[in-house]
Amino acid sequence: MSIQEYFNDKVVLVTGGTGLVGRVLVEKVLRDLSQIRRLYVLVRPRTDRSGRTVSADERLHQEILASSAFDRLRLRLGDAFDPLVREKVEAVAGDLSEENLGLDDATRQRLQSEVQVIINCAAAVAFDGDLEVALELNTMGPVRVLEFARECQDAILLHVSTCYVNGSRQGLVNEEPLDPAQAMADVDDVSRKPYDVEEEVAALTTLREREERRSHALWRRAMFAWAARRQKDGHGSTPEPERLRQGWVKQRLIAEGMRWARSRGWNDIYTFTKAMGEQMIMRHRGDVPTVIFRPSIIESAFESPEPGWLDGLRMLDPLIIAFGRKQLPDFPGDPEVIVDMVPVDMVVNALLASVPAGHQEGGQPVYQIATGTQNPLTLKTFSDLVQEHFRREPLSGRGEPSKELPHITFPSTKSFLRRLRFRYQLPLRGLEALGLLCSALPWGRRLRRTARSRHASVERLAYWARIYSPYSNAHCQYQSQRMVEVLASLSQEERQLFNFDVTRIDWQRYIQQIHIPGIQRFLLGIGPRAVPELEEPGAEKRMAWVRAEADTTHAKGRRTSLNINVPDEQEVKRRLGARWLWRPARGLTRLLVSLAYRFYLGFHWEGMENLPPKGPMIVATNHTSHLDTGALLVLLGKRYSDLHPVAAKDYFFKNKRWSWISRVFIDAIPFDRHAHFTDGLGLAVALLRQNHVLIFYPEGGRSITGDVQPFKAGIGLLALESGAPIIPVHISGSFEALAKGRSIPRRHPIHVRFGAPILVETYLNGDSANGSQETARRITEDVQKAVKDLS
């Protein structure tokens, strides 16, 4: 069997292309199956925050092709990448939750006359997600795709499911289809009430309609209206009663859906609705060639598109991050339970191999890709490897490794939740109540904010325990003998090109050198200590440039590759003057400004946990008011002693008096915004190399509309030359309090949001000074997007 020969000149339709598997699948097809005739990607148009409709083609280019999953392929193909995409890939506007997949008649008929392979990756993957959405996508969506396939000319359908549709089964779970007339609870208990998948879907639809009717009761509508008047949403505005009503319905359906799923033998809404989707396919497939493909837990890439690549938190990742942040004191489970995880690139390789294998086999084959039988990893071993890694290197990637990490003892779920309740939740509620009673005093307000934040963290931990404990106590192993046979049937060349041999996974290397660094780099924005070598031609030349740039960032008193004249240490000391002499004045300034912000304006902040413990760093924020600098000095001045706002030379340093005030009271440094940006960055680069912290306004001045203005390239060049991370920040409310042109502030609360760090290491892939300019432009664009996303 040859995968490449099978897909030669084939027309393929993929759903779920914006998800983890979908993106890696599209990248793999373009990389190693470019001989296909056409790849159609079904994408649902969506509406952005401004109300504008984002088309399917825009989503294809912005959310799939612009993903970092394609970075290496772009490097390898160079100028040939875009022509290849135009020739092979086409976005199709559609929606699995609508009849006929939301396609117009002409498009549907055209696709049905062309498409030969359909790969359905679309799914609602939240374990306790919206029941209505899960039913439409996970249960009825596959039926709609099946009906589409039935009208095609001899098309094969591969439906991506999950091994966990087998619910609460124990022991060895074989690769066999689910019975549409049997729930998982019926496997071991024949006394359960009768089950039929279509009757189950009808009953859940009735449940959804019932909760909708209940939400429209007169007394509930009055309750929603009363609550709307008392509440404030995250943007400080009053929510609409209709939004509260919809939220109530959603929460009711989640609770009822979870209860219903577990009564039928499944762990949660996700596995329940995915299982019903399989059962519906089995009942209605008729003569349509159909393959059920079940991966276990899908995690970061083993090799491609890049080791450790991820596009969002998967099942295990929140727990790894919480442990690395010392927020996971323990976790329930059986230490001998198998943690069945598979890298996403192996999942995609196995998926592609399953299509020709399933076509040859005929019937209704089920393929499972899992590690539990061939290369088992126990929960205890997994926990030990994670703990060992964080003892050597902290999650932040900075500072000294921590040996004081929580010790995981694997208690029962009941005892774990009981301990959380009495040791954390109840005391924190008491402290929150005390803070509320004393909220007239500053320490009372601080106590209440701290207690609420800690209580939210503990609630999240309890949530994880309830959601994940069925999996951490499940004694089952998923048989994957069919996939072993498929791998053996491939040629030696294709066995390397589409490798899904899970026995070659060294768990220590994968978890400690691939997966956790992948979480740090792709999810948390924490770059690796060393830039990984690339396989593409010209990699050595690029890596030499990267190392040269890294050496440049530690140079003292020299003109850099971007022609920035960086002063030496003596010159920096001369320009800053006797800073120690004026520290009391700066402390008093922060205190007075803090009192004004707290008691006159109103002051709120969030996300300070994203800040590194020490410099260097660049705090990049939008700028609408002089109040912006005061807000950041109040929040950061006590934490970082070497903190400098980068201030306009023509405004804050226009004469000796203003220069003295700016230096003494806020420790500002001048920046000539009217000169070429490289001429004004020298002192800033030198300070960052000495581990100082800078407040930088990339817009170059205050916005006169209150909206974020285009960022100038200086922020990218400053980060590239210094190697310092960028902390994106968004400040709201300062424009309303003191807009440009006003001299007296009016009362209006100010809200400061800190985002995750942006690491310059992830951008170092150029090979010349011209490449540096392009890299700086990319950094600037990403910082602007990050600041806007915080609004």
Side-chain angles (χ1 to χ4, degrees), residues 754-766:
F754 295 88
I758 297 174
L759 277 295
V760 70
E761 291 96 326
T762 60
Y763 295 88
L764 294 179
N765 58 5

Side-chain angles (χ1 to χ4, degrees), residues 14 38 50 54 81 118 201-202 251 328 432 462 531 617 768:
V14 172
R38 198 72 172 160
S50 66
V54 182
F81 178 81
I118 303 169
V201 171
Q251 292 304 315
L328 189 71
E432 189 176 344
V531 180
M617 69 175 153
S768 65

Side-chain angles (χ1 to χ4, degrees), residues 561-623:
S561 61
L562 289 172
N563 206 31
I564 298 175
N565 190 20
V566 180
D568 58 23
E569 291 186 12
Q570 294 301 319
E571 177 65 14
V572 170
K573 289 180 180 180
R574 187 191 67 78
R575 291 196 195 183
L576 294 181
R579 297 178 62 240
W580 60 271
L581 186 64
W582 303 110
R583 280 183 180 168
R586 291 166 191 149
L588 180 61
T589 301
R590 288 199 307 272
L591 175 62
L592 295 175
V593 172
S594 174
L595 293 174
Y597 277 53
R598 294 173 190 271
F599 294 105
Y600 178 70
L601 296 173
F603 200 26
H604 310 281
W605 60 89
E606 59 184 279
M608 290 191 69
E609 66 275 6
N610 292 313
L611 295 172
K614 59 183 180 180
M617 69 175 153
I618 307 165
V619 179
T621 180
N622 62 310
H623 195 24

